[in-house]
């Protein structure tokens, strides 16, 4: 009876931990605001190791390396999440910079804050996703919410540090006073210039980043190459647990960077 009770307790704790892990992953993915579902994340996590293990089992003729290749499948969801998040962030920065430029131009034309935000929301030159966000800002302002609070909601929804800076600057302006349109215009110009400068810096170092990625994966490629062409060079790592641990450690350090 005690054994059955302990087994039930362990199963309950296991189920609770699994549910908590899934919820945390779901929240983490949703917070990034990307087109990547939690279901897809776990599908890749559970299927990739089997697919890679089976493929490399036949490619490597049953070598133990197929187990390491299968283990690499567990990190594939994080790899895809990293790539999609970076790509989404880059696109958002570009679209947000364009929207700030349009907002500043509308304010220079003599429009009020409400009119300028509405003009950005209706600008066909901007991406639909950004236009929808500005339409929500316009709707919030029309409902009586302050400009600072409306932009804060926008910033909270996007998670962008640049959008947070705009909201903070508007809050400060609301405290100290001043012409709101001029303040918004100045903020928009400054944030736009900062985003463009950051994009230029990333472009300069993009080749270096690519080279780092290539250098990180060359050792893994070399190991796989020798596993196929001459297994004796790799089999030495599976002679005892110490060598296997060293190999696994090297691969993990290469992945982590």
């Amino acid at each position: 009876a005690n054994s059955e009770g302990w087994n039930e307790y362990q199963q309950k704790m296991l189920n609770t931990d699994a549910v908590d892990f899934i919820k945390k992953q779901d929240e983490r993915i949703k917070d990034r605001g990307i087109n990547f579902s939690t279901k897809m994340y776990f599908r890749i996590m559970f299927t990739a190791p089997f697919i890679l293990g089976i493929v490399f089992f036949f490619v490597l003729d049953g070598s133990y390396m197929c187990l390491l290749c299968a283990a690499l499948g567990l990190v594939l969801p994080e790899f895809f999440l990293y790539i999609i998040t970076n790509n989404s962030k880059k696109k958002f920065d570009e679209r947000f910079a364009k929207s700030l430029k349009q907002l500043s131009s509308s304010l220079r034309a003599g429009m009020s804050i409400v009119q300028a935000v509405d003009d950005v929301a209706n600008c066909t030159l901007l991406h639909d996703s950004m236009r929808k966000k500005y339409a929500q800002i316009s709707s919030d302002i029309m409902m009586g919410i302050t400009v600072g609070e409306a932009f804060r909601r926008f910033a909270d929804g996007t998670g962008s540090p640049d959008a947070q800076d705009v909201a903070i600057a508007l809050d400060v302006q609301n405290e100290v006073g001043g012409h709101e349109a001029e303040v918004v215009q100045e903020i928009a110009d400054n944030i736009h210039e900062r985003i463009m400068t950051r994009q230029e810096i990333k472009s300069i170092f993009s080749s270096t980043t690519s080279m780092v990625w290539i250098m990180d994966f060359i050792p893994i490629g070399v190991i796989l190459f020798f596993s196929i062409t001459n297994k004796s060079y790799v089999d030495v790592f599976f002679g005892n647990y110490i060598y296997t641990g060293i190999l696994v450690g090297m691969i993990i350090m290469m992945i982590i960077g």
Side-chain angles (χ1 to χ4, degrees):
N2 291 335
S3 178
E4 292 179 359
W6 174 248
N7 290 335
E8 291 178 0
Y9 173 77
Q10 285 183 315
Q11 187 64 37
K12 183 179 179 180
M13 291 300 294
L14 181 62
N15 293 337
T16 302
D17 292 340
V19 171
D20 289 341
F21 175 73
I22 293 174
K23 287 182 177 179
K24 288 179 180 179
Q25 290 297 98
D26 185 52
E27 291 174 359
R28 188 165 70 94
I29 293 173
K30 286 182 178 179
D31 287 342
R32 300 193 180 196
I34 58 176
N35 187 23
F36 190 74
S37 65
T38 308
K39 288 184 178 180
M40 181 60 66
Y41 180 92
F42 284 105
R43 283 174 183 170
I44 296 174
M45 177 181 285
F46 291 127
T47 59
F50 289 104
I51 294 174
L52 291 177
I54 292 172
V55 169
F56 281 100
F57 178 81
F58 290 104
V59 171
L60 304 178
D61 194 23
S63 171
Y64 288 108
M65 280 296 299
C66 69
L67 297 177
L68 295 178
C69 294
L72 290 176
L74 294 174
V75 302
L76 272 183
E78 288 296 325
F79 176 75
F80 287 136
L81 193 63
Y82 173 79
I83 296 296
I84 295 173
T85 300
N86 280 357
N87 187 45
S88 177
K89 185 178 182 302
K90 181 180 178 182
K91 288 181 178 179
F92 175 83
D93 287 344
E94 293 174 352
R95 294 166 184 170
F96 186 49
K98 290 180 180 178
S99 71
L100 291 176
K101 192 68 174 178
Q102 180 63 34
L103 182 66
S104 178
S105 299
S106 299
L107 290 170
R108 283 198 187 94
M111 296 183 183
S112 65
I113 293 293
V114 177
Q115 291 173 333
V117 171
D118 193 56
D119 183 61
V120 175
N122 294 313
C123 180
T124 56
L125 298 177
L126 299 177
H127 194 268
D128 288 341
S129 62
M130 192 57 62
R131 290 166 57 190
K132 289 179 181 178
K133 293 183 185 300
Y134 272 87
Q136 183 60 50
I137 294 175
S138 178
S139 176
D140 290 341
I141 295 174
M142 294 294 290
M143 291 293 292
I145 297 174
T146 63
V147 176
E149 179 60 27
F151 273 91
R152 179 170 294 282
R153 291 186 179 187
F154 167 80
D156 292 339
T158 60
S160 168
D162 296 312
Q164 290 285 356
D165 289 343
V166 173
I168 292 171
L170 288 171
D171 285 339
V172 173
Q173 182 275 332
N174 188 48
E175 292 291 333
V176 301
H179 195 275
E180 198 172 51
E182 293 180 358
V183 173
V184 173
Q185 179 182 327
E186 184 177 352
I187 294 170
D189 288 338
N190 291 336
I191 298 297
H192 173 267
E193 290 299 323
R194 187 171 72 184
I195 292 175
M196 289 297 98
T197 302
R198 191 164 61 228
Q199 291 296 333
E200 291 178 6
I201 294 173
K202 286 183 178 179
S203 298
I204 293 173
F205 289 101
S206 60
S207 58
T208 304
T209 303
S210 301
M211 183 62 65
V212 171
W213 276 97
I214 293 173
M215 295 301 294
D216 282 342
F217 282 96
I218 282 179
I220 297 177
V222 171
I223 292 173
L224 291 176
F225 174 76
F226 280 118
S227 298
I228 298 172
T229 59
N230 196 332
K231 291 196 300 180
S232 61
Y233 284 100
V234 181
D235 285 343
V236 65
F237 287 103
F238 299 96
N240 58 59
Y241 293 114
I242 297 177
Y243 291 158
T244 303
I246 293 174
L247 177 62
V248 172
M250 289 191 298
I251 293 176
I252 291 175
M253 285 188 288
M254 284 188 291
I255 295 173
I256 294 175

